[in-house]
Amino acid sequence: MTLAAERGLDIEGSGVYPIALHAAALSDIVTTLIRALGPPWARPEDKTVGTATWVSSACLASSGLRLHRVLMVSRWSKEREKAERYSWGTLGETSVYELPQTIHVVNLGQRRDGKHHGSFSKGWLHPQGRMLRIRKRSGEGFSGRWLQAWREEQDTISRDRWIEVMREDGVLHESLFTLDCDPPPAKLASEIRLLAERKLKRIQETTSEPDMRPSQCWWPTPCQFSWSCWESHRAPSERDSFVRISNESSAAPSHRA
C-alpha cells in the first residue's frame, strides 16, 4: 500500500492499488515456494577481477559450492533459455566464481493491464461448490459457467491450498522449474573475466551520462527504463491513476496522484 500511495510502483495503465495487491499476492506464493527449496542462501563476497571488482547479483548455497539465481519471466522458450545461458547473469557469474549455477525460472504468465495471467495468480471456481481449479487435466478450457478467480481476491483460500491445487492440476512444474548451468571451460572463463574487467573499468571511468540509443529502446527486447525515458513525460491523466481535482485559488485545473 505504501508503494502504491507514494507512486513507488513503475507500472503502465491505471489501478495502482489493485495492481499492488496483485503483486503482493503473487510475491507471497513465489517466495513461499522458493524458500521451501532448502536452507537460506547467502550472498557471494565481491570478487576481484583484474583491477576491477565484481559485485554478484546471484545467491550462494549454504554449502558454498553452487550459485542460485531467481529469474521471473512472462513466458519461456528455447530462445529465452539460450539468452539466459549466455547472459552476464549466468556466464559472467559462473566464470568469475568458477561455480555452477542453478537458475530457478518462475513463469508468471503474460502480463496484461498490470496483472499476470498465470497459474500463480489466476484460477477458476466451480459455479456451485466454489471448488478451486487451475487447469483441467484434459488441457481443455473451463466453460463460461466457471468463475474467474484472482489470488488476491480469494480470502477463503489459503496460500498452501492454492499451491496444492497447482500441484494437483499439474501446472506447478510448468510454472517453477530449474535450469542447471556449469562453468564454462577454463579458456573461455578466462576470456569472459578479461572482458568483464574491460567493461567494468570502462564503466568506472565514465564521467558523463552516455547518449540515448532510441533504436534499442524496444528491440530486440524492451529496455527496463523505457517507461521512465519516454512515457513518464506525458501530461497527468486519469489513465495513469491521476485524479482531477478542483482548485478554488486557480482557474486552471490541477492534478494529483
Side-chain angles (χ1 to χ4, degrees):
M1 290 296 95
T2 300
L3 286 173
E6 297 178 355
R7 298 189 65 80
L9 295 177
D10 184 13
I11 62 172
E12 299 180 34
S14 59
V16 177
Y17 288 102
I19 293 175
L21 290 174
H22 175 82
L26 180 59
S27 301
D28 180 45
I29 289 185
V30 172
T31 302
T32 299
L33 289 168
I34 295 295
R35 286 179 171 174
L37 296 175
W41 300 330
R43 292 301 302 273
E45 294 183 1
D46 296 350
K47 197 75 174 286
T48 300
V49 181
T51 58
T53 301
W54 179 279
V55 180
S56 178
S57 297
C59 296
L60 185 66
S62 57
S63 64
L65 300 177
R66 178 173 289 272
L67 298 171
H68 290 272
R69 183 160 66 98
V70 178
L71 175 66
M72 298 189 183
V73 300
S74 58
R75 66 184 184 89
W76 188 249
S77 64
K78 289 294 184 182
E79 290 76 14
R80 181 60 186 271
E81 178 181 340
K82 183 178 293 186
E84 291 299 333
R85 284 186 180 276
Y86 293 101
S87 68
W88 280 110
T90 303
L91 192 58
E93 297 280 4
T94 56
S95 296
V96 170
Y97 289 97
E98 300 181 272
L99 292 173
Q101 183 187 86
T102 296
I103 304 175
H104 302 270
V105 181
V106 184
N107 193 342
L108 303 177
Q110 291 292 330
R111 185 170 180 263
R112 298 192 298 273
D113 297 325
K115 290 189 174 184
H116 289 278
H117 293 247
S119 58
F120 291 115
S121 306
K122 188 173 74 172
W124 300 88
L125 297 177
H126 190 274
Q128 277 82 40
R130 295 297 191 271
M131 176 183 64
L132 175 68
R133 293 291 304 278
I134 304 296
R135 185 180 68 183
K136 286 187 176 181
R137 292 169 180 78
S138 63
E140 299 176 354
F142 291 93
S143 67
R145 298 179 59 195
W146 284 74
L147 306 176
Q148 184 174 269
W150 291 101
R151 173 70 194 117
E152 62 270 19
E153 299 172 355
Q154 305 307 311
D155 296 334
T156 60
I157 301 175
S158 69
R159 172 188 60 205
D160 293 339
R161 176 55 187 162
W162 190 284
I163 294 174
E164 183 181 355
V165 173
M166 290 180 63
R167 186 175 289 108
E168 291 173 352
D169 286 355
V171 298
L172 185 56
H173 71 281
E174 299 174 359
S175 304
L176 177 61
F177 54 92
T178 59
L179 184 67
D180 290 325
C181 303
D182 294 326
K187 184 176 184 300
L188 177 57
S190 177
E191 294 174 355
I192 294 297
R193 289 193 293 270
L194 289 173
L195 177 61
E197 180 185 3
R198 291 197 300 272
K199 285 185 170 291
L200 288 170
K201 185 177 181 181
R202 191 178 305 131
I203 292 173
Q204 293 168 355
E205 293 176 349
T206 299
T207 58
S208 61
E209 293 183 1
D211 291 334
M212 293 178 63
R213 299 180 180 180
S215 62
Q216 298 180 11
C217 290
W218 286 278
W219 189 90
T221 58
C223 171
Q224 61 179 320
F225 303 111
S226 59
W227 171 261
S228 300
C229 289
W230 300 104
E231 302 297 330
S232 63
H233 296 301
R234 296 184 304 183
S237 69
E238 286 81 359
R239 181 179 179 276
D240 297 325
S241 301
F242 283 85
V243 178
R244 184 181 296 275
I245 61 175
S246 61
N247 191 338
E248 297 179 356
S249 62
S250 174
S254 61
H255 296 81
R256 68 171 182 174

